[in-house]
Amino acid sequence: MSDEQARRETRAIRAGRGPNQGSVASPIWPSTAYELRDLDVSARMAVTPLATEFYARNGTPTVQAFADAVAQVEGAEAGIAFGSGMGAASTIVFALCSPGDRIVAQASMFSVTNQLLTRTCERFGIEVALVDAFDADALCAAVAEKPTQLVWCETPANPAMGIVDLEAVGGLMGPFTVVDSTMATPAVQNPHDHGVHLVFHSATKAIAGHNDALLGVVTGERELIDVLWGHHVVHGAVASPFDAFLGLRGLRTLHVRQRQACETAQVLAERLEAHPAVERVRYPGLASHPQHELAMRQMRSGGSIVVVDLAGGYEAGRAFVEQIELAIPAVSLGGPETLVTHPASMSAASLSPDERIAMGIPEGMLRISVGLEHADDVLADLVAAL
Ligand SMILES: *Cc1c(COP(=O)(O)O)cnc(C)c1O
């Protein structure tokens, strides 16, 4: 069986193995410089996208092994890794857009991407139209309205948990399309299958998966990835070989970790939905999610993130975070520890209350990144805190 024919679980194990001298574990190549004895080869490598044996800002074997492996799992031709998700995001924007260009972006999305697209892009004369991308017609209408260079979507949205129709994004004619698939992971959804050009992950989250590496990764057709590299090499948001090693190691177990976390998440979502202190549970795997059917068409499960809106607002959110013992209050997601984020006082604290409301972040919202503890223990902890 060729690696391309293998299932995603198998590709996650097989991918990203270079000429490693028989080492079963992928080696770490920390060198920033490589011997350049043949000057013809050197001259060629200096301009070859993602060359791995020239200078580490251009590429290194470990970082590229990680990016190639994610590309294989996503079913893409090529991949490129970055020192963080935001390093990837700013590279995509500034590699593909110039002053005067227009971006259509989802209104409700990860707050720092929102800052990049609104505040930073505005300073550079790039027009950004924010739309309710959970409404596929509104998204298509916004793109049809004016020439558009780039469409930026995120599904499920962090933290509002709305779902964007991947078929609709993949079917858009004209602009480059990007989907931030961090909240789903490649184990749960694969936007390239729907025709999306670029798939974005903050691999800091579930791909590396252990809360110990900062990484971004983008996959797509080789030509487009090469264009991103052209800006990446001057922008310099390069991944460390050590973090890329951890990313590749995380990818090996992504599917089993996600299967377990998603199973627990479904149980938690169902149980918390019935609790009187809970106003609403937002989880794509619940029949009560307004886009449940769409989610089940394009996702293999509801994912491992459960969002709970507490009836008591900001103070209830704060009290909950102070009460939990097993779950840890922290702002990341996708690791083995169950983490609870209170966006109003943590990840979205830099936004004004009005901006938070516009992004679908009420004051009593909690985002729970379900970890790998026993489901009954997590449930007991969360219910005790309620
Ligand atoms: C964390 C996150 C990012 C940013 O990634 P970093 O690795 O923290 O830079 C982007 N999008 C989503 C959905 C995220 O959760």
Side-chain angles (χ1 to χ4, degrees), residues 59-73:
T60 63
T62 314
V63 171
Q64 201 48 42
F66 164 66
D68 289 344
V70 176
Q72 281 197 36
V73 174

Side-chain angles (χ1 to χ4, degrees), residues 50-69:
L50 303 168
T52 53
E53 280 145 46
F54 181 70
Y55 179 67
R57 185 161 26 72
N58 295 44
T60 63
T62 314
V63 171
Q64 201 48 42
F66 164 66
D68 289 344

Side-chain angles (χ1 to χ4, degrees), residues 84-86 110 154 158 180 182 200 202 204-205 214-215 333:
S84 67
M86 289 316 300
F110 178 63
E154 178 182 299
N158 183 3
D180 180 340
T182 302
F200 169 106
S202 166
T204 309
K205 313 294 168 52
L214 194 63
L215 280 172
L333 56 96

Side-chain angles (χ1 to χ4, degrees), residues 39 66 70-71 134 139 144 160 170 229 238 240 260 322 343 381 386:
L39 297 188
F66 164 66
V70 176
F134 308 145
L139 176 67
W229 177 84
V238 174
S240 135
Q260 183 61 50
E322 285 170 359
D381 187 47
L386 285 173

Side-chain angles (χ1 to χ4, degrees), residues 6 25 77 88 124 127 151 157 174-175 189 270 278 286 330-332 348:
E77 205 174 28
F124 289 90
E127 180 192 339
V151 170
Q189 101 189 347
E270 287 168 10
V278 171
L286 288 178
V331 289
S332 199

